[in-house]
Tab-separated table of all heavy atoms in Angstrom:
chain	number	residue	atom	x	y	z
X	332	ALA	N	118.349	129.825	66.241
X	332	ALA	CA	117.472	129.626	65.083
X	332	ALA	C	118.168	130.121	63.822
X	332	ALA	O	118.555	131.293	63.730
X	332	ALA	CB	116.155	130.370	65.281
X	333	ALA	N	118.348	129.212	62.860
X	333	ALA	CA	118.783	129.590	61.513
X	333	ALA	C	117.513	129.861	60.716
X	333	ALA	O	116.789	128.934	60.360
X	333	ALA	CB	119.609	128.477	60.880
X	334	ILE	N	117.216	131.122	60.475
X	334	ILE	CA	115.939	131.529	59.892
X	334	ILE	C	116.142	131.865	58.416
X	334	ILE	O	116.979	132.703	58.058
X	334	ILE	CB	115.376	132.751	60.642
X	334	ILE	CG1	115.253	132.434	62.133
X	334	ILE	CG2	114.024	133.161	60.071
X	334	ILE	CD1	114.917	133.637	62.977
X	335	LEU	N	115.360	131.216	57.566
X	335	LEU	CA	115.432	131.418	56.121
X	335	LEU	C	114.148	132.060	55.622
X	335	LEU	O	113.065	131.815	56.159
X	335	LEU	CB	115.642	130.079	55.409
X	335	LEU	CG	116.853	129.253	55.847
X	335	LEU	CD1	116.844	127.901	55.156
X	335	LEU	CD2	118.148	129.999	55.561
X	336	ARG	N	114.283	132.867	54.575
X	336	ARG	CA	113.106	133.472	53.940
X	336	ARG	C	113.346	133.565	52.441
X	336	ARG	O	114.501	133.519	51.974
X	336	ARG	CB	112.840	134.866	54.493
X	336	ARG	CG	113.864	135.905	54.036
X	336	ARG	CD	113.446	137.319	54.384
X	336	ARG	NE	114.347	138.304	53.779
X	336	ARG	CZ	114.240	139.611	53.925
X	336	ARG	NH1	113.283	140.113	54.689
X	336	ARG	NH2	115.097	140.432	53.328
X	358	GLU	N	117.292	133.655	51.765
X	358	GLU	CA	118.158	134.520	52.570
X	358	GLU	C	118.176	134.025	54.005
X	358	GLU	O	117.185	133.503	54.519
X	358	GLU	CB	117.663	135.962	52.515
X	358	GLU	CG	117.780	136.584	51.136
X	358	GLU	CD	117.278	138.011	51.077
X	358	GLU	OE1	116.438	138.389	51.937
X	358	GLU	OE2	117.698	138.753	50.175
X	359	LEU	N	119.316	134.228	54.663
X	359	LEU	CA	119.549	133.819	56.044
X	359	LEU	C	119.650	135.052	56.927
X	359	LEU	O	120.296	136.037	56.559
X	359	LEU	CB	120.846	133.015	56.131
X	359	LEU	CG	121.384	132.702	57.523
X	359	LEU	CD1	120.526	131.634	58.201
X	359	LEU	CD2	122.847	132.234	57.435
X	360	LEU	N	119.033	134.986	58.111
X	360	LEU	CA	119.123	136.094	59.066
X	360	LEU	C	120.337	135.915	59.966
X	360	LEU	O	120.486	134.878	60.624
X	360	LEU	CB	117.860	136.155	59.927
X	360	LEU	CG	117.833	137.277	60.977
X	360	LEU	CD1	117.850	138.651	60.321
X	360	LEU	CD2	116.622	137.141	61.895
X	361	LEU	N	121.197	136.911	59.998
X	361	LEU	CA	122.341	136.948	60.902
X	361	LEU	C	122.227	138.176	61.797
X	361	LEU	O	121.689	139.211	61.387
X	361	LEU	CB	123.654	137.021	60.129
X	361	LEU	CG	124.058	135.781	59.323
X	361	LEU	CD1	125.255	136.111	58.433
X	361	LEU	CD2	124.377	134.610	60.239
X	378	LEU	N	123.594	133.635	65.126
X	378	LEU	CA	122.193	133.369	64.854
X	378	LEU	C	121.398	133.769	66.087
X	378	LEU	O	121.904	133.675	67.211
X	378	LEU	CB	121.980	131.875	64.566
X	378	LEU	CG	122.773	131.299	63.393
X	378	LEU	CD1	122.656	129.773	63.379
X	378	LEU	CD2	122.291	131.880	62.073
X	379	PRO	N	120.156	134.229	65.927
X	379	PRO	CA	119.355	134.568	67.107
X	379	PRO	C	119.237	133.370	68.040
X	379	PRO	O	119.075	132.226	67.584
X	379	PRO	CB	117.995	134.940	66.515
X	379	PRO	CG	118.270	135.301	65.096
X	379	PRO	CD	119.424	134.438	64.670
X	398	THR	N	114.425	134.137	69.904
X	398	THR	CA	114.287	134.855	68.634
X	398	THR	C	113.282	135.995	68.763
X	398	THR	O	113.514	137.112	68.274
X	398	THR	CB	113.841	133.886	67.520
X	398	THR	OG1	114.848	132.890	67.336
X	398	THR	CG2	113.620	134.623	66.208
X	402	VAL	N	114.998	139.671	68.163
X	402	VAL	CA	114.761	140.347	66.877
X	402	VAL	C	113.279	140.598	66.581
X	402	VAL	O	112.939	141.139	65.531
X	402	VAL	CB	115.407	139.571	65.707
X	402	VAL	CG1	116.917	139.520	65.859
X	402	VAL	CG2	114.828	138.162	65.586
X	404	ILE	N	110.809	138.461	65.931
X	404	ILE	CA	110.116	137.517	65.051
X	404	ILE	C	109.489	136.409	65.885
X	404	ILE	O	110.195	135.738	66.656
X	404	ILE	CB	111.075	136.903	64.019
X	404	ILE	CG1	111.589	137.964	63.048
X	404	ILE	CG2	110.386	135.785	63.239
X	404	ILE	CD1	112.571	137.438	62.025
X	406	LEU	N	108.393	133.008	65.712
X	406	LEU	CA	108.503	131.846	64.832
X	406	LEU	C	107.295	130.926	64.943
X	406	LEU	O	106.976	130.206	64.000
X	406	LEU	CB	109.786	131.073	65.152
X	406	LEU	CG	111.086	131.796	64.788
X	406	LEU	CD1	112.285	131.047	65.356
X	406	LEU	CD2	111.220	131.945	63.281
X	435	PHE	N	118.268	125.088	65.349
X	435	PHE	CA	117.022	124.750	64.661
X	435	PHE	C	116.940	125.573	63.378
X	435	PHE	O	117.337	126.742	63.363
X	435	PHE	CB	115.814	125.050	65.545
X	435	PHE	CG	115.727	124.188	66.773
X	435	PHE	CD1	116.401	124.543	67.935
X	435	PHE	CD2	114.982	123.015	66.773
X	435	PHE	CE1	116.332	123.742	69.074
X	435	PHE	CE2	114.903	122.206	67.887
X	435	PHE	CZ	115.582	122.574	69.053
X	436	VAL	N	116.395	124.975	62.315
X	436	VAL	CA	116.259	125.658	61.030
X	436	VAL	C	114.783	125.931	60.773
X	436	VAL	O	113.949	125.021	60.870
X	436	VAL	CB	116.840	124.816	59.877
X	436	VAL	CG1	116.788	125.601	58.560
X	436	VAL	CG2	118.272	124.379	60.194
X	437	PHE	N	114.463	127.175	60.453
X	437	PHE	CA	113.089	127.598	60.204
X	437	PHE	C	112.983	128.264	58.840
X	437	PHE	O	113.933	128.901	58.369
X	437	PHE	CB	112.623	128.618	61.249
X	437	PHE	CG	112.448	128.084	62.636
X	437	PHE	CD1	113.523	128.006	63.510
X	437	PHE	CD2	111.198	127.672	63.085
X	437	PHE	CE1	113.362	127.529	64.799
X	437	PHE	CE2	111.035	127.193	64.368
X	437	PHE	CZ	112.114	127.120	65.229
X	438	ALA	N	111.812	128.160	58.238
X	438	ALA	CA	111.456	128.951	57.058
X	438	ALA	C	110.335	129.895	57.444
X	438	ALA	O	109.376	129.491	58.133
X	438	ALA	CB	111.005	128.048	55.916
X	439	LEU	N	110.432	131.146	57.036
X	439	LEU	CA	109.391	132.123	57.331
X	439	LEU	C	108.313	132.100	56.259
X	439	LEU	O	108.597	132.085	55.066
X	439	LEU	CB	109.982	133.529	57.419
X	439	LEU	CG	110.829	133.858	58.654
X	439	LEU	CD1	111.252	135.329	58.604
X	439	LEU	CD2	110.091	133.564	59.944
X	456	TRP	N	119.868	140.363	56.484
X	456	TRP	CA	119.551	139.199	55.658
X	456	TRP	C	120.620	139.070	54.584
X	456	TRP	O	120.998	140.060	53.961
X	456	TRP	CB	118.183	139.365	54.997
X	456	TRP	CG	117.036	139.359	55.967
X	456	TRP	CD1	116.399	140.443	56.509
X	456	TRP	CD2	116.378	138.211	56.504
X	456	TRP	NE1	115.403	140.042	57.350
X	456	TRP	CE2	115.355	138.675	57.367
X	456	TRP	CE3	116.552	136.837	56.331
X	456	TRP	CZ2	114.514	137.800	58.053
X	456	TRP	CZ3	115.721	135.973	57.021
X	456	TRP	CH2	114.714	136.455	57.870
Side-chain angles (χ1 to χ4, degrees):
I334 304 171
L335 304 174
R336 71 170 188 181
E358 294 179 336
L359 170 73
L360 180 64
L361 291 170
L378 301 170
T398 298
V402 297
I404 294 178
L406 291 171
F435 294 86
V436 185
F437 291 85
L439 287 184
W456 293 97

